[in-house]
Amino acid sequence: MPSEEIIWRPSPATIANARLTGYRTWLKERHGMHFQTYHDLWQWSVEHIETFWESIWEYFGVDSSAPYDHVLQGKMPDAQWFAGARINYAQHIFRNATDTHPAVMFKSERHPLTEISWEELTDQVARLRTFLRRCGVQPGDRVAAYVPNIPEATVGFLAACSLGAVWSSCSPDFGADSVIDRFAQIEPKVLICVDGYQYGGKSFDKMDVVRQIARQLPSVEKSVLIPYLDPEATADALNGGELWDRALAGDPEPLAYAQVPFDHPIWVLYSSGTTGVPKAITHSHGGMLLEHLKYLAFHNDVHRGERFFWFSTTGWMMWNYVQAAMLHGATIVLYDGSPGYPDLDVLWRLVQDTGMEHFGTSAPFLIACMKAGLSPKMRFDFSRLRSVSSTGAPLPPEAFDWVFAHVDSDICLWSMSGGTDVCTAFVGGCPELPLHRGEIQCRALGCALYAYNPAGEPVVGEVGEMVITRPMPSMPVFFWNDPGKQRYRASYFDHYPGIWRHGDWVEISPHGGLTMYGRSDATLNRQGVRIGTAEIYRALHGIEAVRDALIVHLDERDYMPLFVVLNPGYALDADLRKEIKATLRQRCSPRHVPDEMIAVADIPYTISGKKMEAPVKKILSGQPVTTSLNRDAMRNPEAMDFFIAMAGKL
């Protein structure tokens, strides 16, 4: 339920220095527009979307080698933005080059903290760009990368982007089949890969996987190997194999930027792919540019010279989002390794050692720190830290309390929710609004988001389907290899013609805050009442014994089991069962009480950190395992074995 409890208010200094305040001042002085509240500003931004997005173009001084003819033509799903304009995303990053602060900071489990200057980054990108161009890479060609979150990935993206080539990346913890399922769809001309990586103190040699990927991607004309695990690794067995250092050797051409249409593809991201072939979600240079300029400035409040971090892998959209901080002249902080190795302090120590202003993570990480009883502020210097942001799952109220008590009592805590589909957030933080316990502060500017009841009517104070009623530039231009946009339309527009249905439950409070209730395709339909799984997880976070949980409802049997992972020293005995039942009955309703509670060793997750509720439900419902999940897309495939065995007994 939405909260009326305000647990944080921005100081006058926070509001005065916010980049959102600068934009509001500019609107008033330049265009004579004055808005009393943020919500008034939001309302204008979604009712006058052409004027709003044109103001973003003007405010941030977008460089275009050709003028646009119209701001917007057509409607979803065929809306066309800024037709006629010719731009380049990478160009807007490098116009921030400076010698006053580094471009990149990097640390891994095997590498000490290092800095890369803007001069060094420019040189490396120019060198790789020269190599790619000599390999015949042209605008529209694809450059794919099987790499961890390392500086070479940033260099690869920027080099490809500067040429107008299309970037796509997967983390090396993906198995060969998952990578091939993704990259085979886009037929890359160049493949960049590593020989292996380290995670949780263990080394993982990936050369056999790399060779398998290269063999099954006949479109690849040139492969570049980064000897990341073994300095002596060679690229001899790869298609047109070349080592990274040799690719960057020689005299580079000056860094230049291909001018491409606004809707020219910039990168391809992928749906989780837990079942079937992942959707190849394709975004545009212009859509990403305008959205990232807007969101990171006004909702993350990123300033020039600040240090911006989000724990991510190259297979998650948040990696692409981190690169966008350079659009604002920020230093991006990269980390490659486990967030729990050698202990849960590793990322908090990184905050201190980098002098980070913006720390981004996932809700499960903050919950894990809370349940481990950590108090990072007692051990580390957070004097420069201004914001903690969370995404990937709903952040429970108890985690809000923990951040303010054990990280910083006056921090901006920005829970946000969006997706791979738009490579940004629909809802998130606002530096001028108070924060209600357990809530997301606001709908993002330019995002016409509403909650729809079963009749397709917008509701406030009720849980409903999350929909977007007006187009956004960051919506995909298409799915790769999707003739007639058939798969694209089916993914978002089949339920409400002409309106984007995202597949999440959301409740909008009367004061404008939001509460997310999980995926609507994983809804528990209990006795005719729709229950969001996040409601149950949120209630369970308050139980000390429960480390993690997953719940499904098997409709045909009207059977709702709850699977729990327990903290050490606890057992699922009669007392704990009673506590779980009482908690769910009191905090939710009697309908939220499961039919059965089952202790398991682990909960299955996708590589990007999503609980695999739908695949578990399919398997327990008797559907074939081969069509219900893709093990290579899982972070912990062994966790599914329990559910497969259980399905055989139902």
Side-chain angles (χ1 to χ4, degrees):
M1 293 293 292
S3 172
E4 295 301 323
E5 180 184 356
I6 295 176
I7 57 174
W8 176 85
R9 291 184 184 275
S11 67
T14 296
I15 296 174
N17 295 328
R19 298 192 67 192
L20 179 60
T21 302
Y23 172 63
R24 289 171 64 121
T25 301
W26 178 85
L27 283 174
K28 184 177 180 180
E29 294 177 349
R30 181 68 64 89
H31 296 285
M33 299 181 190
H34 176 66
F35 303 96
Q36 292 289 339
T37 68
Y38 172 82
H39 300 297
D40 293 336
L41 176 63
W42 173 82
Q43 195 70 46
W44 166 78
S45 76
V46 298
E47 289 180 353
H48 304 275
I49 56 172
E50 293 186 45
T51 305
F52 168 71
W53 286 108
E54 191 169 35
S55 81
I56 296 300
W57 180 290
E58 183 183 358
Y59 182 72
F60 288 104
V62 170
D63 288 330
S64 178
S65 60
Y68 54 84
D69 301 321
H70 303 280
V71 174
L72 174 63
Q73 292 176 297
K75 299 179 179 179
M76 294 188 290
D78 300 309
Q80 184 179 25
W81 292 90
F82 294 94
R86 300 189 71 86
I87 61 172
N88 188 283
Y89 187 100
Q91 179 180 355
H92 286 80
I93 284 179
F94 280 103
R95 70 181 186 175
N96 293 298
T98 179
D99 58 5
T100 62
H101 57 266
V104 180
M105 301 181 78
F106 169 68
K107 189 180 188 308
S108 79
E109 290 185 4
R110 302 173 67 237
H111 300 88
L113 183 63
T114 58
E115 295 184 359
I116 298 174
S117 69
W118 279 95
E119 182 180 10
E120 293 172 301
L121 181 64
T122 302
D123 179 67
Q124 290 181 35
V125 171
R127 289 175 181 277
L128 184 60
R129 182 189 188 277
T130 300
F131 172 80
L132 293 175
R133 198 187 64 76
R134 290 172 180 168
C135 290
V137 174
Q138 299 178 7
D141 287 338
R142 278 74 67 203
V143 175
Y146 184 62
V147 292
N149 186 16
I150 56 179
E152 288 87 344
T154 297
V155 170
F157 159 61
L158 291 172
C161 186
S162 71
L163 283 168
V166 185
W167 175 260
S168 191
S169 58
C170 284
S171 171
D173 52 2
F174 278 60
D177 289 346
S178 275
V179 178
I180 294 163
D181 282 348
R182 287 158 168 77
F183 290 166
Q185 295 185 66
I186 64 171
E187 300 178 301
K189 179 176 283 190
V190 174
L191 174 68
I192 301 173
C193 47
V194 292
D195 61 317
Y197 66 99
Q198 179 175 310
Y199 187 90
K202 299 178 181 179
S203 295
F204 296 87
D205 187 329
K206 304 297 287 190
M207 280 305 298
D208 285 345
V209 173
V210 167
R211 283 188 282 266
Q212 185 178 347
I213 293 168
R215 282 197 304 270
Q216 296 193 45
L217 293 177
S219 63
V220 172
E221 299 175 6
K222 196 74 175 179
S223 295
V224 180
L225 181 73
I226 304 166
Y228 186 56
L229 187 65
D230 176 12
E232 304 302 318
T234 67
D236 298 341
L238 303 180
N239 302 348
E242 187 78 88
L243 289 175
W244 177 265
D245 285 348
R246 288 184 59 85
L248 268 63
D251 295 328
E253 300 168 350
L255 185 54
Y257 310 98
Q259 298 298 293
V260 297
F262 187 93
D263 61 359
H264 184 83
I266 183 172
W267 53 54
V268 178
L269 305 177
Y270 303 92
S271 60
S272 60
T274 53
T275 60
V277 178
K279 297 188 290 284
I281 301 170
T282 308
H283 293 116
S284 68
H285 270 250
M288 288 295 92
L289 176 62
L290 291 189
E291 176 60 35
H292 290 161
L293 286 171
K294 177 210 74 178
Y295 198 97
L296 280 120
F298 300 155
H299 297 284
N300 283 129
D301 199 35
V302 176
H303 293 247
R304 183 175 180 84
E306 292 187 330
R307 295 171 182 193
F308 185 87
F309 169 82
W310 212 294
F311 181 80
S312 180
T313 71
T314 57
W316 188 25
M317 55 137 295
M318 292 308 300
W319 180 86
N320 305 69
Y321 187 81
V322 166
Q323 313 308 306
M326 290 189 286
L327 290 170
H328 297 282
T331 298
I332 60 172
V333 180
L334 311 177
Y335 183 76
D336 176 39
S338 167
Y341 178 82
D343 51 47
L344 285 170
D345 279 336
V346 64
L347 297 184
W348 300 114
R349 185 174 291 107
L350 185 68
V351 174
Q352 171 185 270
D353 293 349
T354 59
M356 190 187 301
E357 282 87 1
H358 302 281
F359 174 74
T361 184
S362 66
F365 175 77
L366 295 176
I367 293 166
C369 291
M370 175 184 73
K371 295 215 164 188
L374 299 189
S375 187
K377 73 175 186 180
M378 303 301 294
R379 303 191 57 193
F380 304 108
D381 177 10
F382 294 157
S383 57
R384 291 182 59 176
L385 187 64
R386 294 205 302 113
S387 76
V388 171
S389 294
S390 170
T391 193
L395 189 66
E398 294 81 6
F400 281 67
D401 300 338
W402 180 84
V403 169
F404 285 118
H406 297 285
V407 178
D408 192 314
S409 60
D410 193 31
I411 204 81
C412 294
L413 176 55
W414 288 328
S415 180
M416 55 192 273
S417 181
T420 301
D421 318 80
V422 288
C423 197
T424 186
F426 296 118
V427 298
C430 177
E432 66 177 49
L433 290 176
L435 178 65
H436 291 72
R437 183 174 183 264
E439 279 190 8
I440 296 173
Q441 282 177 292
C442 66
R443 290 172 278 191
L445 295 178
C447 179
L449 181 149
Y450 299 92
Y452 270 16
N453 66 14
E457 302 165 334
V459 292
V460 173
E462 298 178 26
V463 178
E465 282 274 7
M466 191 183 100
V467 300
I468 314 295
T469 62
R470 306 294 300 275
M472 297 171 61
S474 58
M475 289 174 173
V477 283
F478 50 76
F479 291 172
W480 205 274
N481 253 352
D482 181 27
K485 288 190 172 182
Q486 293 182 9
R487 204 176 181 197
Y488 181 23
R489 294 172 189 274
S491 295
Y492 308 115
F493 298 101
D494 269 3
H495 199 79
Y496 303 107
I499 292 176
W500 175 294
R501 173 181 174 266
H502 193 61
D504 282 341
W505 292 123
V506 65
E507 182 173 358
I508 303 171
S509 70
H511 55 254
L514 301 102
T515 305
M516 306 301 299
Y517 290 97
R519 296 293 296 173
S520 57
D521 57 8
T523 301
L524 312 173
N525 190 353
R526 189 70 157 166
Q527 299 166 19
V529 176
R530 297 174 305 173
I531 299 171
T533 55
E535 296 178 71
I536 290 176
Y537 303 143
R538 187 177 292 114
L540 294 177
H541 287 317
I543 299 177
E544 184 176 343
V546 177
R547 191 177 83 210
D548 203 356
L550 183 143
I551 192 162
V552 295
H553 182 254
L554 308 186
D555 304 303
E556 68 282 358
R557 298 167 55 114
D558 192 23
Y559 171 57
M560 192 169 84
L562 171 68
F563 304 94
V564 294
V565 179
L566 301 177
N567 281 314
Y570 292 93
L572 190 56
D573 54 22
D575 288 341
L576 180 54
R577 292 174 189 271
K578 184 178 179 181
E579 182 183 1
I580 291 173
K581 288 181 179 179
T583 299
L584 292 174
R585 186 176 288 109
Q586 179 181 2
R587 294 195 54 177
C588 301
S589 82
R591 292 187 179 89
H592 290 69
V593 176
D595 295 311
E596 186 177 6
M597 299 179 212
I598 303 167
V600 296
D602 203 2
I603 298 299
Y605 280 86
T606 66
I607 287 176
S608 60
K610 306 289 186 183
K611 289 185 184 183
M612 297 178 65
E613 296 164 323
V616 167
K617 179 177 178 177
K618 290 179 181 179
I619 288 170
L620 295 182
S621 296
Q623 296 187 34
V625 174
T626 53
T627 60
S628 297
L629 78 140
N630 179 353
R631 285 182 175 272
D632 281 342
M634 294 182 63
R635 185 174 73 191
N636 51 347
E638 67 285 348
M640 195 61 79
D641 294 340
F642 174 89
F643 300 95
I644 295 171
M646 180 178 171
K649 301 173 184 177
L650 289 176

